Amino acid sequence: MSRVYNFSAGPSMLPESVLKRAADEMLDYHGCGQSVMEMSHRSKIYGSIIEAAEADLRQIMGIPDNYKVLFLQGGASSQFAMVPLNLMNGSGKADYVITGQWAKKAFAEGSRYGEAKAVASSADKTFSYIPKLDPSTFTKDADYFHICMNNTIYGTKFHQLPETGDVPLVADFSSCILSEPVDVSKFGVIYAGAQKNCGPAGLTIVIIREDLIGKARDITPTMFNYQTHADNGSMFNTPPCYAIYIFGLVLQWIKDEIGGLDAMKARNEAKAAVLYDFLDNSKLFRGTVVKEDRSLMNAPFVTGDADMDAKFVKAAEAAGFVNLKGHRSVGGMRASIYNAMPMEGVEKLVAFMKDFEANA
Amino acid sequence: MSRVYNFSAGPSMLPESVLKRAADEMLDYHGCGQSVMEMSHRSKIYGSIIEAAEADLRQIMGIPDNYKVLFLQGGASSQFAMVPLNLMNGSGKADYVITGQWAKKAFAEGSRYGEAKAVASSADKTFSYIPKLDPSTFTKDADYFHICMNNTIYGTKFHQLPETGDVPLVADFSSCILSEPVDVSKFGVIYAGAQKNCGPAGLTIVIIREDLIGKARDITPTMFNYQTHADNGSMFNTPPCYAIYIFGLVLQWIKDEIGGLDAMKARNEAKAAVLYDFLDNSKLFRGTVVKEDRSLMNAPFVTGDADMDAKFVKAAEAAGFVNLKGHRSVGGMRASIYNAMPMEGVEKLVAFMKDFEANA
């Protein structure tokens, strides 16, 4: 068996120790004679798995007691509707910052249910930066203010949060959850698909301040009402049990092998530094993002020559660096270096890029 | 390792050969150096997995070309809303047969979006039978007619389909999908959570006639619109990739090891016969369902004495027969003997019940 370095934007790499444990426990979890996939979600043994996952997430992220943790399905795309259906219940207004395709989709869905306003956008430069925000342009009585914390396709990240005052800040953390410490109390809602940084596709994590639950519009499907899931410990119906189990193993890896989110941040900054330092000094490759807005997770880069880009992607794949092709809207390449990507993977990629450049 | 016989109502047993293969392939699927959990859903290699799953499902169930197969999330509970949001678009009326808790929940959700009518119910006798249906009571211009094909909690099954004429028949197949052949052309929509009979929790299979797609209400969240998924081959956003992979392995097991749905039906009938024959002749245990409406999948039974029931459940668990406790609304016991339960498991359970009865 030879594992590749997988730079996919998501789903993407998982820690090898997590996969090994999942393989070992596949037919018999802790001597119970069942796979986690086969367990009744109402059984005591499965209860211990989902409860440990929530407790570990709360501890690792420092989630305050007045926030609920929900394990849902449907991805961030479902949250694009759940947020307005549950929160757009006062003025019916909400502000959005347009920093990429996912932010645009969230805004479009919000606009279907109320008065959504795009307070800023970086569309003018292919979303290669985070727009400066002027709080005087924010809607004072908005029901919420929505951002996409880290923009997977374009490789940008909010390094500073918007000052929204009493307006709840709602953020899509799909591509940066658990990559560094975050002050949860600054947010009304944090949501994330698990498949980029912390688990398999099919699990959506929602962290929501309790006072925002319970005011859903009457048109809201029962399964799209946060209260449905908050009142039932994410067990109104069968949750995505196996994905939650893998997520729990990833959380244990963060706690026990990495040492928490401060250590995770240091590790991710070191990895990103190796890649960005190389890009900043390369004569062939260059990053596409304004330096101060760079993501720790997704680094798009180009040679400026589409044929050369294609040649590089092909050569990299043959050398065991897979999924480096950039999103079609940016072109070129993109290295997604999520939590599970080891430093070794980034160093080897950079060494490969140096070689490629020397021979180009 | 000692595997138990798991009679859970769902999630429940999976074929051991499927679990073994999943364990073997966990770190490296077919030499690609990645786990299926780590694959980009847009990659060629993952494409081959989801395409094979759809092709195998189409072949095994004989799904006509004018039906779409959708791989969704959110369980049957989400379908309870998706069905009315997408289909209640003509008269705004729909008929429901109330055969248990899930049928009731589907009806309640349908009632939120239009004029839902309960044309029949078996609530009077704790849903222990399937009510006789009189087509003259059906709503002529209904947008659809909804049934729950197999009732997990109560152990009943529709052995005859309602004659709904031009009104599309919509059926929840969560606890009986792939258990026997079915004429898909008689249905407008078939939906099923995978976690009972064919995979892990977190995957919902929808089989829908194409002419029913594309007329969703304007309040429908994008992710709840069948068209969103039909237009994008279930890849509008990241699908539940790993659950689809396991589902695909189960389909291969049905094809290669069982020999298709005729053979699966014969196997399931033989298993059910062993259990029901024993119940019909036991002096201690008795089934709770009217004989002609019995499910092949879920067999509730009681001793008539709650203490004795509890004693039996405890003793059975100690002997390796787990999750036999009945649903609180029926009490007693329930043996769910889905596709993956081997004949051996039923025979050993019956032998254990005989012993228990002899010593009671």
Side-chain angles (χ1 to χ4, degrees):
Chain A
M1 186 198 73
S2 158
R3 301 253 307 154
V4 295
Y5 293 109
N6 181 3
F7 295 90
S8 169
S12 195
M13 283 185 86
L14 286 166
E16 209 168 292
S17 61
V18 165
L19 295 172
K20 280 185 177 149
R21 198 162 147 195
D24 286 347
E25 295 177 344
M26 182 62 84
L27 277 92
D28 185 10
Y29 176 81
H30 294 198
C32 78
Q34 298 167 54
S35 173
V36 175
M37 270 186 231
E38 302 176 300
M39 289 178 188
S40 167
H41 58 300
R42 309 271 179 209
S43 64
K44 257 185 214 163
I45 192 153
Y46 188 73
S48 71
I49 292 173
I50 192 170
E51 283 160 23
E54 177 172 342
D56 284 345
L57 182 67
R58 285 186 173 278
Q59 192 221 308
I60 292 170
M61 288 186 69
I63 299 172
D65 288 344
N66 63 324
Y67 283 72
K68 290 277 189 193
V69 170
L70 309 178
F71 296 127
L72 306 183
Q73 300 181 54
S77 295
S78 292
Q79 295 308 309
F80 297 167
M82 282 182 79
V83 166
L85 282 167
N86 283 270
L87 269 59
M88 240 181 201
N89 45 28
S91 65
K93 301 176 197 167
D95 286 346
Y96 285 76
V97 184
I98 312 299
T99 51
Q101 286 206 17
W102 297 107
K104 257 165 80 174
K105 283 190 182 183
F107 172 64
E109 196 78 351
S111 304
R112 298 181 57 219
Y113 297 107
E115 206 179 310
K117 177 180 166 187
V119 292
S121 166
S122 49
D124 60 336
K125 291 181 181 169
T126 323
F127 302 114
S128 58
Y129 68 102
I130 296 289
K132 294 286 166 286
L133 299 177
D134 174 3
S136 75
T137 65
F138 297 177
T139 304
K140 297 284 169 293
D141 61 343
D143 289 326
Y144 60 89
F145 188 104
H146 184 280
I147 61 171
C148 183
M149 192 71 179
N150 185 82
N151 295 278
T152 318
I153 297 175
Y154 305 95
T156 61
K157 177 191 135 180
F158 278 85
H159 289 264
Q160 212 178 340
L161 294 179
E163 285 170 20
T164 63
D166 290 339
V167 173
L169 183 59
V170 175
D172 180 351
F173 266 67
S174 293
S175 50
C176 63
I177 188 167
L178 293 163
S179 63
E180 58 183 327
V182 57
D183 182 351
V184 174
S185 73
K186 294 215 182 313
F187 296 84
V189 183
I190 287 174
Y191 64 83
Q195 71 272 12
K196 296 176 189 292
N197 229 354
C198 53
L203 167 63
T204 313
I205 297 133
V206 173
I207 302 164
I208 180 168
R209 218 174 60 208
E210 285 174 350
D211 62 291
L212 299 174
I213 299 172
K215 297 173 228 162
R217 301 261 189 100
D218 60 359
I219 57 167
T220 307
T222 301
M223 283 290 289
F224 264 29
N225 189 329
Y226 289 128
Q227 186 159 30
T228 300
H229 305 286
D231 286 354
N232 292 284
S234 301
M235 291 262 197
F236 172 75
N237 68 335
T238 317
C241 300
Y242 196 75
I244 293 169
Y245 156 70
I246 298 289
F247 175 61
L249 294 183
V250 171
L251 293 172
Q252 286 177 40
W253 170 79
I254 293 174
K255 270 174 57 175
D256 301 340
E257 293 184 51
I258 301 297
L261 290 190
D262 286 317
M264 184 59 88
K265 181 183 186 185
R267 180 181 139 115
N268 284 330
E269 284 179 343
K271 277 154 51 186
V274 168
L275 183 54
Y276 287 130
D277 287 352
F278 169 72
L279 290 173
D280 290 343
N281 292 293
S282 167
K283 291 197 168 60
L284 181 63
F285 300 101
R286 62 176 175 80
T288 59
V289 172
V290 168
K291 280 190 191 181
E292 63 268 27
D293 295 329
R294 280 172 170 172
S295 162
L296 278 181
M297 299 282 103
N298 314 94
F301 55 96
V302 295
T303 65
D305 171 350
D307 291 340
M308 183 66 84
D309 288 350
K311 194 179 153 192
F312 173 77
V313 168
K314 203 175 161 185
E317 184 166 342
F321 306 101
V322 305
N323 291 316
L324 278 164
K325 190 160 184 256
H327 191 274
R328 63 189 175 280
S329 60
V330 181
M333 283 70 68
R334 172 179 45 174
S336 293
I337 49 176
Y338 295 120
N339 282 353
M341 173 63 67
M343 172 58 99
E344 184 193 62
V346 181
E347 284 172 345
K348 286 191 176 169
L349 172 65
V350 166
F352 178 82
M353 290 168 79
K354 278 182 186 161
D355 267 2
F356 184 89
E357 181 170 342
N359 297 311
Chain B
M1 184 198 72
S2 160
R3 300 253 307 155
V4 294
Y5 292 110
N6 181 4
F7 294 91
S8 168
S12 195
M13 283 185 86
L14 286 165
E16 210 168 290
S17 61
V18 165
L19 294 173
K20 280 185 178 151
R21 197 161 148 197
D24 286 347
E25 295 177 345
M26 181 62 85
L27 278 93
D28 185 9
Y29 176 82
H30 294 197
C32 78
Q34 299 166 53
S35 173
V36 175
M37 269 186 231
E38 302 177 300
M39 288 178 188
S40 167
H41 58 300
R42 309 271 180 210
S43 64
K44 258 187 215 162
I45 191 153
Y46 188 73
S48 71
I49 291 173
I50 192 171
E51 283 160 23
E54 178 173 343
D56 284 344
L57 183 66
R58 284 186 174 278
Q59 192 222 305
I60 291 170
M61 289 186 69
I63 299 173
D65 288 345
N66 63 325
Y67 284 72
K68 290 277 188 193
V69 170
L70 309 178
F71 295 127
L72 306 183
Q73 300 181 55
S77 294
S78 293
Q79 295 308 309
F80 298 167
M82 283 182 79
V83 166
L85 282 167
N86 284 271
L87 268 59
M88 239 181 203
N89 46 28
S91 65
K93 300 177 196 167
D95 287 345
Y96 284 76
V97 184
I98 311 300
T99 51
Q101 286 205 20
W102 297 108
K104 257 164 80 174
K105 284 190 180 182
F107 172 64
E109 195 77 352
S111 303
R112 298 181 57 219
Y113 296 108
E115 206 178 309
K117 177 181 167 188
V119 292
S121 167
S122 48
D124 60 337
K125 292 182 181 167
T126 323
F127 302 114
S128 57
Y129 68 102
I130 297 289
K132 295 284 166 289
L133 299 177
D134 173 4
S136 76
T137 64
F138 296 178
T139 304
K140 297 283 168 293
D141 61 342
D143 289 326
Y144 60 89
F145 188 106
H146 184 280
I147 61 170
C148 182
M149 192 71 180
N150 184 83
N151 295 279
T152 317
I153 297 176
Y154 306 95
T156 62
K157 177 191 134 179
F158 278 84
H159 288 263
Q160 211 179 340
L161 294 179
E163 284 168 22
T164 64
D166 289 339
V167 174
L169 183 60
V170 175
D172 181 350
F173 266 67
S174 293
S175 49
C176 62
I177 188 167
L178 292 163
S179 63
E180 59 184 325
V182 56
D183 182 351
V184 175
S185 74
K186 295 215 181 312
F187 296 86
V189 183
I190 287 173
Y191 64 83
Q195 71 272 12
K196 296 177 189 293
N197 229 353
C198 53
L203 168 63
T204 313
I205 297 134
V206 173
I207 302 165
I208 180 168
R209 217 173 62 207
E210 284 174 350
D211 62 291
L212 300 174
I213 300 171
K215 297 173 229 162
R217 301 262 189 98
D218 60 359
I219 57 167
T220 307
T222 300
M223 283 290 290
F224 265 29
N225 189 329
Y226 289 128
Q227 185 159 30
T228 300
H229 305 287
D231 285 355
N232 292 282
S234 301
M235 290 264 197
F236 173 74
N237 69 335
T238 317
C241 299
Y242 196 74
I244 293 169
Y245 155 70
I246 298 289
F247 174 62
L249 294 183
V250 171
L251 293 172
Q252 286 176 41
W253 170 78
I254 292 175
K255 270 175 56 174
D256 301 340
E257 293 184 50
I258 301 297
L261 290 190
D262 286 316
M264 185 60 87
K265 182 184 185 184
R267 181 182 139 114
N268 285 329
E269 284 180 341
K271 279 155 51 186
V274 167
L275 184 53
Y276 287 129
D277 286 352
F278 169 71
L279 290 173
D280 290 343
N281 291 293
S282 168
K283 290 197 168 58
L284 180 64
F285 300 101
R286 62 176 174 80
T288 60
V289 172
V290 167
K291 279 190 192 182
E292 62 267 28
D293 295 331
R294 279 172 168 171
S295 162
L296 277 181
M297 299 281 103
N298 314 95
F301 55 96
V302 295
T303 64
D305 171 349
D307 291 340
M308 183 66 85
D309 289 348
K311 195 179 152 191
F312 173 77
V313 168
K314 204 176 161 184
E317 184 166 341
F321 306 102
V322 306
N323 292 316
L324 277 165
K325 191 162 184 258
H327 191 273
R328 63 189 175 281
S329 61
V330 181
M333 284 68 69
R334 172 180 44 175
S336 294
I337 49 175
Y338 295 121
N339 282 352
M341 173 63 68
M343 172 60 97
E344 185 194 59
V346 181
E347 284 172 344
K348 287 191 175 170
L349 172 65
V350 166
F352 178 81
M353 290 168 79
K354 277 183 187 160
D355 267 2
F356 185 88
E357 181 170 342
N359 297 310

